Every structure is written in C-alpha cells, then in structure tokens.
Amino acid sequence: MTFLGFHHVQVAMPEGREDEAVAFYAAVLGLEEFPKPPELAGRGGRWFRSGPVEVHLGVEERFAPATKAHPALLVDDLAALEERLRAAGIDAAADVELEGHRRVYVHDPFGNRLELIERT
C-alpha cells in the first residue's frame, strides 16, 4: 500500500464567516470555490480548489486558529501571489529559504497560518 498524495487539507474557521473565507481564499489567493456535497452543505464552511489542490474550510464550534500547524501550498509564481496579497493589505512574512524553495507565511482572516512555497 502506498499513499498517493493528499485529497484535500481542511482548515478550521468560526461559524458565520464564510464571506470572509471567500474573500481571502478565492479573491486573494485565487482558488476556485466549488460547492460542498449536499450531505455536508448544512455544516457551514466553504471548499476551494486549484488544479489538484483542495482546501476545505470547516466550521469548528470552539474555534481556535492554527498558529503553528499549517498547510503548505505549492505555487508556481510566488512573487505574483505576494503582490496580490500586498494589494489586499495582507502581510506575507518571508522565512528562511530551504534548499530549492522560497517560502512565505500568511494568516487567513481567522488567524490560521498558511505557508506559500515555490520551488526555485
């Protein structure tokens, strides 16, 4: 048995703030929102994707942001994404470059940490 990859990553969010999720994940990051299955739609949250990458935001009753644990989203043009983040007033904090990778950290509207990483 071999793991083939991730189907999706789920990030928690507080109840009733789906518009902020769409504004950040779709409008700023550029992920496409797609509908949750009808069986799950009543739980709140939103789902997004770009190519094979899916990010699901799920409502957590006693929400606390993930400030250390984080998904790392591999991108092909980090400079362009950083420009979109700056235009939206979002700070992208550069971190040390790892061999073959440039990376920055951002926080979504709920305080969750996201790593954006590009192969160099």
Side-chain angles (χ1 to χ4, degrees):
M1 193 277 309
T2 303
F3 289 98
L4 302 175
F6 285 97
H7 180 272
H8 69 273
V9 62
Q10 179 153 323
V11 177
M13 64 172 285
E15 184 178 8
R17 295 179 61 187
E18 284 82 0
D19 289 347
E20 292 172 69
V22 172
F24 178 77
Y25 285 90
V28 176
L29 292 186
L31 298 168
E32 169 195 359
E33 182 180 8
F34 69 102
K36 293 176 70 171
E39 302 84 8
L40 302 177
R43 298 180 183 178
R46 292 288 192 271
W47 287 8
F48 303 91
R49 68 176 160 218
S50 177
V53 175
E54 289 189 16
V55 178
H56 297 182
L57 269 74
V59 171
E60 194 167 305
E61 187 176 314
R62 290 189 279 182
F63 171 76
T67 58
K68 182 70 173 175
H70 62 275
L73 302 173
L74 185 63
V75 302
D76 65 0
D77 190 346
L78 187 55
L81 183 51
E82 286 179 286
E83 182 58 38
R84 285 205 329 243
L85 290 162
R86 274 192 296 281
I90 298 167
D91 183 42
D95 201 354
V96 296
E97 287 194 23
L98 301 176
E99 184 176 338
H101 295 87
R102 193 168 81 75
R103 58 206 187 105
V104 299
Y105 288 99
V106 298
H107 289 89
D108 73 5
F110 320 116
N112 293 310
R113 181 183 190 197
L114 304 172
E115 182 177 359
L116 306 172
I117 189 167
E118 178 182 38
R119 291 186 179 115
T120 55

